[in-house]
């Protein structure tokens, strides 16, 4: 069972121009999954960070991402951004649930770097998008081989909330209905 008190969410490169370019998961499905994650984070008190690739005119983060000032980084891994990494470390939470576009770049690099630094990592595939099915599958296999877990938003939620009859459980199941 996953302890929500040990988890933090990472929303990476969920920007209008990038999400729309996903070839493996429709942008509408990514947006729906991210919106559900926002509800889960609120219900379970899970902190989150937003990391964005630099782009002219500002980050352009999709509206479904929780409101937060994004960390704008210059490379493929969130881990390389000192301010972002310090924010992650400051929470004391050692499990990262990562989602973003593209899976082969920001999700892969961030997951591998976090795993190498001793964090547990879960990649939420229905809130990710890749360049091609073949390259995304390769990235996910690489994350699993390094010790990361590849799961879904629903699987992630069900691993933290095992009783849907509690008030929090009812909130979670209601949020999960947003995936349908």
């Amino acid at each position: 069972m996953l302890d929500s008190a040990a988890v933090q969410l990472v929303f990476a490169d969920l920007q209008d121009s990038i999400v729309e370019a996903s070839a493996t998961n429709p942008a509408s499905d990514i947006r729906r999954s991210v919106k559900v994650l926002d509800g889960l984070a609120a219900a379970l008190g899970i902190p989150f960070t937003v990391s964005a690739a630099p782009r002219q005119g500002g980050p352009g983060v999709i509206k479904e991402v929780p409101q937060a000032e994004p960390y704008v980084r210059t490379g493929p891994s969130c881990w390389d951004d000192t301010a972002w990494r310090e924010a992650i470390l400051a929470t004391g939470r050692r499990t990262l649930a990562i989602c973003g576009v593209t899976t082969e770049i920001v999700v892969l690099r961030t997951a591998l770097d976090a795993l190498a630094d001793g964090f547990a990592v879960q990649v939420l595939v229905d809130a990710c998008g890749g360049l091609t099915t073949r390259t995304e599958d390769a990235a996910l296999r690489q994350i699993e081989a390094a010790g990361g877990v590849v799961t879904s938003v629903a699987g992630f939620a069900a691993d933290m909330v095992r009783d849907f009859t509690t008030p929090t459980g009812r909130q979670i199941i209601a949020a999960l209905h947003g995936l349908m």
Side-chain angles (χ1 to χ4, degrees):
M1 186 163 161
L2 188 60
D3 180 5
S4 63
V7 174
Q8 52 189 318
L9 278 164
V10 177
F11 296 100
D13 293 3
L14 292 169
Q15 297 160 264
D16 288 313
S17 60
I18 299 173
V19 169
E20 299 302 324
S22 169
T24 61
N25 193 6
S28 60
D29 290 356
I30 295 169
R31 289 172 180 274
R32 184 173 38 255
S33 294
V34 169
K35 186 172 182 168
V36 169
L37 284 169
D38 181 25
L40 294 176
L44 297 172
I46 298 173
F48 62 88
T49 58
V50 178
S51 182
R55 99 176 232 240
Q56 200 160 12
V61 175
I62 61 173
K63 69 180 189 297
E64 292 81 4
V65 169
Q67 293 300 305
E69 188 64 33
Y71 292 86
V72 179
R73 54 173 212 293
T74 59
S77 176
C78 299
W79 212 252
D80 292 337
D81 181 320
T82 303
W84 180 88
R85 189 176 59 254
E86 287 175 357
I88 292 293
L89 293 170
T91 70
R93 293 172 179 238
R94 302 292 296 180
T95 300
L96 299 185
I98 304 172
C99 61
V101 179
T102 67
T103 309
E104 301 91 333
I105 301 173
V106 68
V107 173
L108 173 64
R109 297 280 32 114
T110 302
L112 293 178
D113 289 348
L115 287 162
D117 219 13
F119 279 72
V121 169
Q122 297 214 357
V123 175
L124 310 174
V125 295
D126 42 348
C128 292
L131 301 170
T132 71
T133 301
R134 187 174 175 159
T135 59
E136 184 175 60
D137 288 347
L140 295 172
R141 284 193 311 272
Q142 197 174 353
I143 291 166
E144 286 178 321
V149 173
V150 176
T151 190
S152 65
V153 172
F156 170 68
D159 199 20
M160 290 184 289
V161 179
R162 301 303 284 262
D163 184 351
F164 292 132
T165 65
T166 66
T168 300
R170 284 192 293 276
Q171 276 185 286
I172 298 308
I173 199 70
L176 289 175
H177 282 121
L179 293 173
M180 296 179 210

